[in-house]
Amino acid sequence: MSPNGSDLPRSQGAGGTPTSRRPMRRKLPQVLTAGLILATATGCTYKDFPRLGMPTPVTEEAPRILSLWQGSWAAALATGVLVWGLILWAVIFHRRSRTKVEVPSQTRYNMPIEALYTVTPLIIVSVLFYFTARDESRLLALSDKPAHTINVVGYQWSWGFNYVENVPGSNGDAKTDKNLAAVPDKYTKAFPENAGGVYDAGIPGDRNPQNGNPGPTLWLPKGEKVRFVLTSRDVIHSFWVVPFLFKQDVIPGHTNVFEVTPNQEGTFMGKCAELCGVDHSRMLFNVKVVSPERYQQHLQELAEKGQTGYIPSGIEQTDPARNAEKNQL
């Protein structure tokens, strides 16, 4: 047998003729082109492409989330291009020779290379962590006196909305209302004085009268900051308004809070993003952003329907949880 294996029998094709790799090489560009077309021929327009799958933001805070999303993709793409480039370089310039059978030089215990393999991932993770922590702290920052406060109540299998507002025809005080006992004192301090409030309690069979989308409808005023106080009556849910580019868990015995300022009118889709039981898929709702005047009119309409006061907000916090939150004040 010759050293290079030239005397070995070649594989035979149909009819006993030797097969050749050339047709496969000729088809390779066609296969790559077809794959590129399949990967890029989607329903997105050139205006949608920069968002990389994200919907159009409809709050003042959402562009920060979109920027973080785009930056993460840019970092991942740069890392991928570098790795793919090194792989292709090794494949092309260090492929096995047809005339020489030899073991390539081995590199072991190379401290510079091993340090590079260790330090580079640490740098990448540290940079991503810095931007994530920076944006998260700003997105979760709370104002002293938000223009509006809405207690979102999650329950199997729908949503309830307590509008903590001074509404004519509704008497009471949100700060002392027993139905809002699950909300910690540090959040009730920001409630308006003598806010009787109104509510809207949804069921899975509700429909938005304008577009027929399932679930109850949460109304918000455009251009005014809204604080969401999230509470649950039973299990963990997750409050997700898709074009807000933001979602937060709704946890029994624990209160989560965040603020947004809607800047675009319209009706948008919301849903529960936490598997919460057999009818989780029915926990849908709508968010209708309107002018401040129309928002106040809607609150008045709820009061005229007799939906005054508040629905039970959920499971109260345990004493250790309340004490822990007091220490954070």
Side-chain angles (χ1 to χ4, degrees), residues 3-318:
N4 60 4
S6 59
D7 55 348
L8 292 176
R10 295 185 179 181
S11 59
Q12 301 293 316
T17 58
T19 58
S20 174
R21 295 183 180 179
R22 290 184 180 179
M24 295 183 62
R25 292 180 180 178
R26 292 175 181 174
K27 293 180 179 179
L28 182 60
Q30 300 175 3
V31 174
L32 294 177
T33 302
L36 181 62
I37 293 175
L38 289 175
T40 57
T42 65
C44 298
T45 65
Y46 72 95
K47 294 182 179 179
D48 298 327
F49 182 76
R51 296 197 305 272
L52 300 172
M54 283 286 192
T56 302
V58 297
T59 68
E60 293 182 2
E61 295 77 12
R64 178 178 296 276
I65 303 173
L66 179 60
S67 177
L68 181 63
W69 171 258
Q70 293 169 325
S72 300
W73 269 100
L77 182 60
T79 304
V81 169
L82 175 62
V83 172
W84 297 331
L86 291 175
I87 291 174
L88 292 175
W89 175 76
V91 168
I92 294 173
F93 295 101
H94 293 278
R95 64 186 184 275
R96 181 180 176 181
S97 174
R98 294 184 178 181
T99 58
K100 296 181 181 179
V101 180
E102 60 182 7
V103 177
S105 60
Q106 304 296 301
T107 302
R108 295 190 181 94
Y109 309 112
N110 188 303
M111 291 304 296
I113 293 180
E114 292 183 7
L116 178 66
Y117 290 161
T118 304
V119 172
T120 301
L122 289 176
I123 293 176
I124 295 174
V125 172
S126 299
V127 171
L128 292 175
F129 175 81
Y130 165 76
F131 285 106
T132 301
R134 181 200 66 179
D135 291 345
E136 181 182 2
S137 63
R138 295 182 182 179
L139 290 167
L140 296 180
L142 301 178
S143 57
D144 295 332
K145 288 289 184 180
H148 306 277
T149 300
I150 299 176
N151 170 216
V152 177
V153 184
Y155 50 84
Q156 297 170 318
W157 309 99
S158 193
W159 302 87
F161 310 114
N162 285 321
Y163 296 90
V164 185
E165 301 269 0
N166 287 304
V167 182
S170 179
N171 300 319
D173 187 357
K175 295 184 177 182
T176 59
D177 195 296
K178 293 182 179 180
N179 287 324
L180 299 179
V183 181
D185 295 340
K186 67 176 183 177
Y187 299 133
T188 60
K189 290 179 181 178
F191 287 174
E193 296 292 336
N194 301 317
V198 292
Y199 70 87
D200 189 5
I203 60 174
D206 285 341
R207 294 277 176 176
N208 182 278
Q210 281 77 36
N211 54 24
N213 288 344
T217 300
L218 169 65
W219 289 59
L220 300 177
K222 176 184 176 182
E224 297 183 355
K225 187 175 290 294
V226 179
R227 174 178 293 181
F228 293 100
V229 180
L230 310 179
T231 55
S232 172
R233 291 183 187 174
D234 35 53
V235 299
I236 297 179
H237 303 282
S238 184
F239 182 71
W240 180 25
V241 183
V242 178
F244 283 11
L245 312 187
F246 185 91
K247 56 186 174 183
Q248 197 167 50
D249 282 348
V250 185
I251 305 174
H254 177 79
T255 304
N256 280 330
V257 180
F258 71 97
E259 296 178 355
V260 298
T261 304
N263 58 10
Q264 181 177 327
E265 293 189 13
T267 302
F268 310 103
M269 180 177 62
K271 60 179 67 177
C272 176
E274 183 77 25
L275 182 59
C276 56
V278 63
D279 281 338
H280 158 71
S281 62
R282 302 184 69 190
M283 284 198 64
L284 306 174
F285 63 96
N286 304 278
V287 175
K288 188 177 182 65
V289 180
V290 296
S291 66
E293 296 77 16
R294 182 67 184 91
Y295 174 74
Q296 293 298 330
Q297 181 183 345
H298 175 68
L299 299 184
Q300 189 61 47
E301 291 172 353
L302 292 177
E304 293 173 356
K305 292 179 182 178
Q307 298 174 214
T308 57
Y310 304 101
I311 61 175
S313 57
I315 299 175
E316 293 190 34
Q317 290 185 327
T318 61

